């Protein structure tokens, strides 16, 4: 008697995950969520090193549940990140599509900022469905209330400026502190309010140094204040922290120092909020790919995780909370 054996061919979907642009605390937690969700959904997942650069070069490896053990609490990104400006070139994108075919990638989760989303959109249009996850300390993604890394960076800035304040107070000085944020003032405004800065300069608000900073300092001096912290967003045009410190010293007689916080703001263990957000977003992104949905960015909107078409998201406008600016000025006097 012959036995007929029918083999069922189960198609296993393969997806890739990459981090691109400036790194942000919480990217590892997002990678972990992507890998674990994919594995638990029966998918294969490839970790692509160094963003689009690694994709074009085919620099990737298969990940499993254990590949992402012990990373949830780590800053940086275990997949490394890189800027790859040539990825804007359609020919380079075609090369990436070839690589995707070679490795069997049927979808990619790209963690980064707006630039990363543009790359994800280009790949989707060329047949590789991509999902963007917002990861940047700048919080400058219009579609998203809070990006991964922003909360940690805020807390880092606060902790660093609290230390600067100690020594500023001991010496009756003025400290001018430059905070990151690229062209946006979210980090500077919120951190500035949290540390009680006398003045906050952000790109979104026009300023006049004499009336805003010098007059304000003189007024508070009359009320007995002898030390000052001024927060300046790096995106503010026309003055840098060192020149501002010199100008303040010359105009007020208060000895002044400038501190550029720099990349300390991008590192460190992610906060609870960033770990939770990253886990939610990573899980959400894989659900979309599992359902054959691409060309979307994941976002947080009023404490909920949602998704938008990439172009729709890129065209959105985000405004800064000017009421926070008003409050900061009203109470840090
Ligand atoms: P972010 O993603 O944080 O905005 P970048 O602006 O540096 O950071 O962008 C990250 C990467 O995304 C770039 O290095 C490049 O590889 C890719 N990218 C940026 N702009 C485009 C674009 N117009 N088309 C395709 N890829 C892009
Ligand atoms: O986008 C994150 C960010 O840290 C910005 O705040 C800053 O302007 C920029 O990246 C710095 O980039 P790099 O690490 O290439 O100097």
């Amino acid at each position: 008697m012959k036995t007929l054996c029918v083999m069922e061919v189960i198609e296993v979907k393969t997806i890739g995950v990459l981090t691109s642009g400036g790194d942000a605390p919480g990217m590892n937690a997002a990678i972990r969520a992507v890998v674990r969700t994919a594995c638990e959904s029966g998918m294969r997942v490839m970790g692509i090193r160094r963003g689009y650069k690694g994709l074009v070069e085919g620099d990737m490896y298969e990940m499993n549940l254990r590949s992402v053990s012990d990373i949830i609490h780590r800053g940086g990104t275990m997949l490394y990140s890189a800027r790859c400006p040539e990825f804007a070139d359609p020919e380079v994108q075609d090369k990436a599509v070839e690589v995707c075919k070679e490795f069997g990638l049927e979808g990619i989760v790209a963690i980064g900022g707006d630039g990363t989303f543009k790359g994800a959109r280009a790949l989707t249009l060329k047949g590789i469905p991509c999902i963007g996850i917002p990861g940047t300390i700048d919080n400058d993604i219009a579609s998203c209330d809070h990006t991964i890394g922003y909360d940690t960076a805020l807390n880092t800035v606060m902790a660093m400026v609290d230390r600067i304040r100690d020594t500023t107070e001991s010496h009756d000085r003025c400290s001018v502190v430059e905070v990151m944020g690229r062209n946006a003032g979210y980090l500077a405004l919120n951190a500035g309010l949290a540390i009680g800065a006398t003045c906050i300069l952000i790109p979104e608000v026009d300023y006049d140094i004499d009336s805003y900073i010098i007059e304000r300092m003189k007024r508070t001096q009359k009320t007995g204040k002898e030390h000052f912290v001024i927060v300046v967003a790096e995106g503010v045009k026309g003055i840098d922290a060192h020149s501002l410190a010199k100008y303040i010293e010359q105009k007020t007689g208060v000895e002044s120092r400038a501190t550029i916080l720099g990349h300390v703001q991008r590192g460190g263990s992610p906060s609870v909020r960033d770990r939770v957000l990253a886990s939610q977003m990573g899980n959400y992104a894989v659900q979309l790919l599992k359902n054959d949905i691409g060309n979307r960015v994941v976002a947080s909107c009023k404490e909920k995780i949602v998704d938008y078409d990439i172009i729709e998201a890129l065209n959105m406008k985000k405004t800064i909370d000017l009421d926070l600016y008003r409050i900061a000025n009203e109470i840090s006097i």
Side-chain angles (χ1 to χ4, degrees):
M1 202 171 80
K2 279 188 180 170
T3 321
L4 190 64
C5 178
V6 181
M7 297 276 287
E8 195 190 346
V9 180
I10 303 169
E11 264 195 44
V12 176
K13 189 171 215 163
T14 303
I15 62 167
V17 55
L18 59 81
T19 48
S20 153
D23 66 350
M27 279 185 165
N28 276 327
I31 296 168
R32 173 179 177 271
V34 168
V35 172
R36 294 255 169 98
T37 308
C39 290
E40 287 296 280
S41 307
M43 298 178 182
R44 283 178 77 227
V45 56
M46 304 293 286
I48 303 161
R49 295 188 189 90
R50 297 183 178 83
Y52 294 118
K53 181 173 180 287
L55 179 64
V56 175
E57 292 168 357
D59 185 7
M60 61 183 87
Y61 63 105
E62 184 164 351
M63 301 181 87
N64 59 38
L65 292 174
R66 296 280 69 80
S67 314
V68 288
S69 295
D70 301 318
I71 61 162
I72 195 166
H73 60 300
R74 298 219 171 109
T77 158
M78 69 171 292
L79 289 176
Y80 306 95
S81 192
R83 295 216 161 90
C84 174
E86 57 275 21
F87 201 68
D89 177 347
E91 281 185 21
V92 178
Q93 294 161 5
D94 289 341
K95 169 83 176 73
V97 172
E98 286 309 310
V99 173
C100 289
K101 287 185 182 148
E102 189 187 322
F103 284 88
L105 295 188
E106 295 163 275
I108 291 178
V109 178
I111 308 167
D114 278 345
T116 301
F117 297 166
K118 286 179 191 156
R121 158 107 176 135
L123 279 179
T124 305
L125 290 180
K126 288 176 184 282
I128 310 294
C130 292
I131 306 291
I133 292 185
T136 165
I137 63 163
D138 303 334
N139 203 34
D140 59 349
I141 305 231
S143 56
C144 191
D145 290 347
H146 288 97
T147 56
I148 297 169
Y150 175 55
D151 183 64
T152 307
L154 275 177
N155 282 292
T156 303
V157 173
M158 184 180 72
M160 295 299 119
V161 181
D162 283 350
R163 288 170 185 226
I164 291 171
R165 175 195 283 268
D166 290 344
T167 169
T168 304
E169 182 179 357
S170 307
H171 291 266
D172 293 328
R173 280 177 174 162
C174 171
S175 279
V176 178
V177 183
E178 186 189 285
V179 170
M180 275 187 172
R182 208 181 282 246
N183 300 314
Y186 303 102
L187 205 47
L189 174 56
N190 284 270
L193 174 57
I195 57 98
T198 303
C199 298
I200 304 169
L201 293 186
I202 52 174
E204 294 84 351
V205 177
D206 289 337
Y207 65 91
D208 175 78
I209 296 182
D210 289 318
S211 59
Y212 181 45
I213 301 182
I214 307 299
E215 289 315 311
R216 209 171 149 78
M217 282 178 64
K218 286 184 176 164
R219 197 181 133 208
T220 55
Q221 273 178 317
K222 285 189 194 130
T223 64
K225 192 171 170 67
E226 284 169 317
H227 61 279
F228 307 85
V229 176
I230 313 288
V231 167
V232 186
E234 67 171 342
V236 166
K237 302 271 179 285
I239 190 105
D240 64 90
H242 287 285
S243 324
L244 182 57
K246 271 196 196 120
Y247 188 75
I248 288 172
E249 184 164 312
Q250 182 199 328
K251 287 281 179 172
T252 62
V254 179
E255 195 181 16
S256 300
R257 294 284 187 272
T259 304
I260 316 286
L261 282 185
H263 287 79
V264 71
Q265 298 163 95
R266 283 240 299 263
S269 180
S271 66
V272 170
R273 187 170 187 163
D274 279 332
R275 294 184 199 192
V276 171
L277 186 66
S279 303
Q280 289 175 298
M281 288 183 165
N283 179 265
Y284 192 104
V286 176
Q287 306 290 350
L288 291 174
L289 284 180
K290 190 177 162 191
N291 292 311
D292 296 321
I293 299 169
N295 202 31
R296 310 292 289 176
V297 291
V298 180
S300 75
C301 176
K302 300 185 174 64
E303 309 299 326
K304 283 207 159 38
I305 306 299
V306 296
D307 60 288
Y308 299 101
D309 173 88
I310 296 186
I311 282 291
E312 185 190 347
L314 287 173
N315 287 334
M316 285 180 182
K317 297 271 173 283
K318 190 173 191 174
T319 50
I320 202 146
D321 187 351
L322 288 179
D323 201 44
L324 275 190
Y325 191 73
R326 176 193 64 76
I327 294 170
N329 286 322
E330 218 166 288
I331 65 178
S332 299
I333 197 82

